[in-house]
Amino acid sequence: MPSPKSTAFPSAAQAALLFLALCLCEIVVGAALRDANRWLGLNGMQIGVLSAVLGNGCVFAAVMHAQQLTWRELFHQSRASAGVTLLLVVPPVLLLVPALLLTVTSAFNLLVRIAPLSAWEEAMFSRMADGSVAAVLAVCVVAPLLEEMLFRGIVLRGFLQRYPRWQAIFLSALLFGAAHMNIYQFVVGAIMGTVLAWLYERTRSLIPCIALHAAYNSATLLLADWLDAASPARLMWVALLALAAAVCGTLVLRLMLVAKPARPTSA
């Protein structure tokens, strides 16, 4: 008889198929919206946002029904209340954003020097940062919410039941990076995915994960051009302040979230 651990959903292969099903749903919904666009009058970015929301909704509804998973269990399985998590965990989590932004931006720029962006990739990143309402909603709200629901709420949840802790964290981070389907966002996704997966594993809540993801994406839109134009001296001061904030945030999170070893009981 197979153990519950060996049958937990999803396995790595099932997670890949789940992502494929999600992509297919978004393609189908997007095609339907384009066919109806003579009445809707949407632009390309708006169709993309709606396709993501509706496609994810179909897949999540099917998975949650099959797994008998409630929305409360998906978003917040922690024994601590959602309010306590929001008030105590989210603030130190947000202190990590500046250091993550600098780290990921540096890795991205190094990768671009080694493998320059193609014209198609430049156009894709430009559309994501064009400043339109649809683009801001897609990057700062829709992507953090839907990606955390899928990769931490469903995929990592199953991986933590099926695999050893760090194997589950790194495997989910690699899948998160690969899901972006380009080498540049793979690197970004793998770094961010590891941090987000550790955070979920410690808190069993999507609240701090969504907050970190949304804050990072928002900071990328707001500060990417400023970082590129900043002088080396200014960048050094920014890096020092970001490092100090990250150290403070990490120490607080470690104090609150890292499990302490049990003391041996006397005979």
Side-chain angles (χ1 to χ4, degrees), residues 8 62 116 134 136 143 152 159 202 209 225 239 255:
V136 171
R152 260 59 67 179
F159 282 8
R202 290 287 88 189
C209 300
D225 291 339
L255 181 65

Side-chain angles (χ1 to χ4, degrees), residues 53 57 82 95 152 180 220:
V53 172
L95 290 177
R152 260 59 67 179
H180 291 82
T220 300

Side-chain angles (χ1 to χ4, degrees), residues 5-84:
K5 184 174 182 177
S6 66
T7 58
F9 177 87
S11 65
Q14 288 169 334
L17 291 174
L18 182 62
F19 177 71
L20 178 60
L22 186 63
C23 291
L24 291 174
C25 279
E26 289 188 18
I27 290 171
V28 171
V29 172
L33 289 174
R34 287 182 178 89
D35 287 342
N37 205 32
R38 69 184 69 177
W39 300 289
L40 298 175
L42 303 173
N43 61 36
M45 182 60 74
Q46 290 169 336
I47 290 175
V49 173
L50 278 176
S51 299
V53 172
L54 296 175
N56 277 266
C58 294
V59 173
F60 285 132
V63 170
M64 292 176 69
H65 176 74
Q67 297 297 308
Q68 298 182 337
L69 186 65
T70 66
W71 289 104
R72 170 67 169 78
E73 292 169 333
L74 177 69
F75 275 93
H76 190 73
Q77 203 177 21
S78 172
R79 286 178 294 180
S81 71
V84 167

